[in-house]
């Protein structure tokens, strides 16, 4: 009998590849153990494919169920889950989908699927109490320039080359216009979600840079400098107040600034 870690690894490899060579020594008992193992393998793959299709309904709506299902079948074989939580599975699927035959012909497919992935993830977020103007007034102004902030957990910033926000809004609203022309361009999107509610906002480039960098952990100074390089008329003070107005700011340097949490 192999050691437990080896047995677990062999079972996982068999479920993924269908090759039961590593399990041959322990396939015993009852009747036709290999056929019973094959049932488990089919169930494993079917469950993962269903999880992907359930996670990307808008992409199925856009690209068609046969195309996405075939891609999902190949994806679960090539990139099985590396973490136990199925809710986290599929982050790499948009990129994989775009590499499939025919996927490259739809130039916005990857970005659309990425948008859907993030919206699905953000819809589960819990909104935290946001800082107010009074909270900011309690912080020493001399410390603000180097301060780091935290934004709401249910926010993500996405650059798009197509008006994919309009396209996914059609899916979410269950509308079917007689004709829809997807617009190419440069779009700076702020995605927000909390407790099942979703919102997509278009930002100016400088505002996008400022907020995206803050979301990634940059200091207020570094984020402001980067935004000013994009747009010289960018006002960091007004941009910070806009974060407060939008109830996005939840922490200002909580470990170093008294009263900020």
């Amino acid at each position: 009998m192999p050691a437990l870690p080896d047995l677990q690894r062999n079972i996982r490899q068999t479920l993924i590849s269908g090759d039961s060579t590593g399990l041959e020594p322990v396939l015993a008992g009852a009747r036709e153990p290999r056929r019973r193992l094959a049932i488990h393998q089919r169930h494993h793959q079917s469950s993962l494919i269903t999880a992907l299709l359930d996670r990307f309904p808008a992409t199925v709506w856009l690209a068609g169920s046969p195309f996405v299902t075939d891609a999902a079948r190949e994806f679960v074989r090539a990139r099985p889950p590396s973490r136990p939580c199925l809710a986290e599975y599929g982050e790499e699927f948009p990129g994989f989908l775009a590499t499939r035959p025919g996927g490259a012909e739809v130039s916005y497919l990857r970005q659309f699927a990425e948008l859907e992935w993030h919206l699905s993830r953000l819809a589960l977020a819990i909104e935290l109490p946001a800082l107010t103007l009074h909270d900011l007034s309690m912080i020493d102004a001399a410390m603000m320039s180097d301060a780091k902030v935290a934004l709401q957990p249910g926010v993500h910033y996405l650059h798009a080359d197509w008006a994919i926000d309009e396209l996914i809004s059609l899916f979410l609203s269950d509308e079917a216009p007689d004709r829809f022309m997807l617009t190419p361009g440069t779009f700076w999107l702020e995605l927000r979600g909390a407790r099942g509610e979703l919102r997509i906002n278009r930002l100016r480039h400088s505002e996008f840079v400022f907020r995206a960098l803050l979301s990634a952990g940059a200091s207020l100074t570094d984020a402001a400098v980067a935004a000013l390089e994009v747009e010289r008329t960018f006002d960091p003070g007004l941009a910070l107040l806009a974060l407060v107005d939008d109830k996005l700011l939840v922490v200002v340097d909580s470990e170093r600034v008294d009263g900020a949490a």
Side-chain angles (χ1 to χ4, degrees), residues 4-261:
L4 180 59
D6 294 333
L7 178 61
Q8 292 174 327
R9 184 165 50 251
N10 290 338
I11 291 175
R12 180 179 185 274
Q13 184 59 34
T14 296
L15 291 177
I16 294 170
S17 68
D19 182 4
S20 62
T21 302
L23 288 180
E24 292 290 343
V26 296
L27 287 179
R31 298 176 57 184
E32 303 185 61
R34 289 174 183 78
R35 290 187 61 183
R36 289 187 286 111
L37 182 62
I39 293 174
H40 287 294
Q41 182 198 13
R42 289 194 296 271
H43 176 71
H44 173 263
Q45 291 187 346
S46 175
S47 297
L48 293 180
I49 292 170
T50 299
L52 284 173
L53 297 180
D54 289 346
R55 197 65 185 267
F56 292 92
T59 304
V60 172
W61 167 79
L62 177 68
S65 180
F67 175 77
V68 180
T69 301
D70 287 345
R73 185 175 295 108
E74 293 300 321
F75 182 80
V76 301
R77 292 172 182 165
R79 303 182 189 180
S82 59
R83 288 172 285 189
C85 181
L86 274 185
E88 301 174 353
Y89 184 54
E91 184 174 4
E92 298 176 336
F93 186 60
F96 183 87
L97 191 65
T99 66
R100 303 296 300 157
E105 298 176 6
V106 185
S107 55
Y108 49 85
L109 178 60
R110 176 172 183 166
Q111 292 185 357
F112 183 83
E114 287 176 347
L115 172 62
E116 181 173 27
W117 165 263
H118 288 297
L119 290 178
S120 175
R121 174 179 61 85
L122 296 175
L124 303 176
I126 303 297
E127 192 163 77
L128 301 178
L131 296 184
T132 65
L133 288 177
H134 174 72
D135 295 324
L136 285 184
S137 70
M138 302 297 292
I139 302 172
D140 185 351
M143 302 183 67
M144 285 294 290
S145 61
D146 293 327
K148 292 187 177 182
V149 308
L151 304 186
Q152 291 285 358
V155 65
H156 183 79
Y157 296 91
L158 183 68
H159 166 231
D161 299 313
W162 297 84
I164 53 176
D165 55 332
E166 296 179 359
L167 186 58
I168 205 164
S169 294
L170 287 177
F171 171 78
L172 294 174
S173 64
D174 200 26
E175 296 179 358
D178 294 334
R179 182 179 180 184
F180 177 79
M181 183 69 69
L182 190 63
T183 307
T186 302
F187 303 92
W188 310 98
L189 305 179
E190 178 182 71
L191 318 180
R192 292 191 63 176
R195 299 182 183 274
E197 296 185 0
L198 297 169
R199 190 189 323 165
I200 306 176
N201 302 318
R202 289 185 181 180
L203 304 177
R204 300 194 329 270
H205 188 186
S206 57
E207 186 180 20
F208 175 92
V209 169
F210 181 70
R211 293 188 175 195
L213 286 175
L214 290 180
S215 180
S219 68
L220 284 167
T221 294
D222 290 343
V225 168
L228 283 165
E229 290 177 353
V230 171
E231 182 183 341
R232 300 308 301 174
T233 59
F234 176 79
D235 188 322
L238 291 179
L240 183 61
L241 292 178
L243 283 175
V244 176
D245 289 341
D246 291 342
K247 302 186 185 306
L248 280 172
L249 195 62
V250 296
V251 174
V252 176
D253 208 12
S254 60
E255 295 182 356
R256 292 166 42 198
V257 181
D258 292 337

